[in-house]
Amino acid sequence: MNFETERLILRPWTEEDAESLYEYAKDPAVGPIAGWPVHTSVENSREIIQYVLSADETYAVCLKEDNRAIGSIGLFSPAQAHTKIEKYELEIGYWIGVPFWGKGLIPEAIKKMQEHAFCDLGCSAMWCGYYDGNIKSKKCQKKCGFTYHHTEENKPCIPMGDVRTEHFTRITKEQWLVGRKEKEVVLYIHGKGGSADEAEHYRPFFLGTDVYGFDYQSENPWDAKKEFTEKVAELSEKYHRITLIAVSIGAYFSMNAGIGKFIDRAFFISPIVNMEKLILDMINWAGTSESELERRRVIPVEFGDDLSWEYLQYARRNKIIWDVPTEILYGSADHLQSIDTIQEFAAKDTVNLTIMEGGEHWFHTDEQMKFLDQWLEKPHA
């Protein structure tokens, strides 16, 4: 089995690697500090490949540019480990030639092996060790998420014929899953008629953070529920934190989808927070009645989407539950939802409401956008 990273190929050793192995393993700065003697000849290196490096889950570390072996990395079972470990746990060992020190190549290889061990092999925890004085290996392990576990003193190092102090570090699968995620993503969800490209406006307010515009396809909340949940669950696999920015019906779709368990904080701009109330208001604006809508099922209107009996019943059956820390920006001249509706929603302990006098439902004028930008900056002050 072969593995690839950005710069490396990790593949099984072959006897053809003997010359390359000898070139780097003959250096006294490499093997002895890791617990094995320098190689004395190409033939000696060939024998090491045959009897040691041919073991399962042992790989030559090679640069992609020439596939030449410049180091080694391997996974060891509890029976092979340097310390006592449990079933379903593994130990990892590694080295790389001196010319390649300080380039981050071994951490790159370790992280690929962690992915293999935890995702493919069912490993529950990974161990790693370093002998007293091997500061480079200690730093490498820390960089890869390992944390100190214990020290064993007066430990025979049989290949070198001496006694040493060995320190052991460990990382669990749960710790690895958390550590592999990026820090934060801002998820932007547009309103009706908007687009994912609008997310670019918010990027300067979250420097150093990924900003993702969600180009969702759903036009009603029951379809959006599945689409939104799948997207946010996907993002949660990669990121520690998700900040949500949602506009108008995008906020309603988000809350209705039940994605709050994935969201750390939210910014809502003119959010639809009570869809049932909005549809009932639209019925009045259209000069019709709820009973007439029930009879006709769909009533076209000139000022917006067709009135739908199915939509009204869905909104009634699926009440919004939202307990995410949320900042709301609302314009006092919003024609879709009254200030009473917004204030009722904002009465929750987790919601903070900002009102722009004269602001409309769609913030678009220079004055409104300036107000929006200043509002968005406040939580970062």
Side-chain angles (χ1 to χ4, degrees), residues 285-357:
W285 300 338
T288 186
S289 65
E290 186 176 335
S291 59
E292 179 67 8
L293 179 60
E294 181 179 10
R295 184 182 70 83
R296 295 173 58 182
R297 315 306 290 184
V298 175
I299 298 177
V301 295
E302 296 180 356
F303 51 79
D305 291 338
D306 294 347
L307 295 172
S308 164
W309 177 254
E310 181 183 16
Y311 210 140
L312 175 59
Q313 294 309 300
Y314 180 90
R316 282 177 169 162
R317 291 193 307 268
N318 296 271
K319 301 297 183 182
I320 294 299
I321 299 175
W322 187 253
D323 57 3
V324 175
T326 302
E327 297 282 338
I328 291 180
L329 176 60
Y330 173 79
S332 65
D334 191 317
H335 63 288
L336 288 182
Q337 290 195 118
S338 69
I339 191 168
D340 292 339
T341 301
I342 290 291
Q343 287 177 331
E344 181 181 355
F345 181 85
K348 301 175 183 180
D349 292 338
T350 57
V351 177
N352 184 45
L353 175 63
T354 298
I355 300 174
M356 178 184 180
E357 291 299 326

Side-chain angles (χ1 to χ4, degrees), residues 212-281:
Y212 181 89
F214 183 25
D215 188 22
Y216 64 92
Q217 303 300 308
S218 300
E219 296 184 357
N220 57 61
W222 47 91
D223 290 331
K225 191 168 189 176
K226 181 176 185 294
E227 186 179 7
F228 279 44
T229 299
E230 290 178 351
K231 174 53 64 177
V232 176
E234 176 188 321
L235 291 174
S236 72
E237 287 293 311
K238 184 178 180 182
Y239 295 94
H240 276 308
R241 291 168 51 85
I242 300 177
T243 292
L244 174 65
I245 301 177
V247 178
S248 189
I249 200 169
Y252 172 68
F253 280 178
S254 299
M255 292 187 289
N256 174 75
I259 63 173
K261 61 184 177 182
F262 297 107
I263 305 300
D264 292 276
R265 58 177 177 167
F267 298 90
F268 287 168
I269 302 164
S270 306
I272 304 299
V273 297
N274 188 331
M275 182 57 74
E276 179 185 4
K277 176 72 164 51
L278 176 57
I279 295 174
L280 292 175
D281 286 343

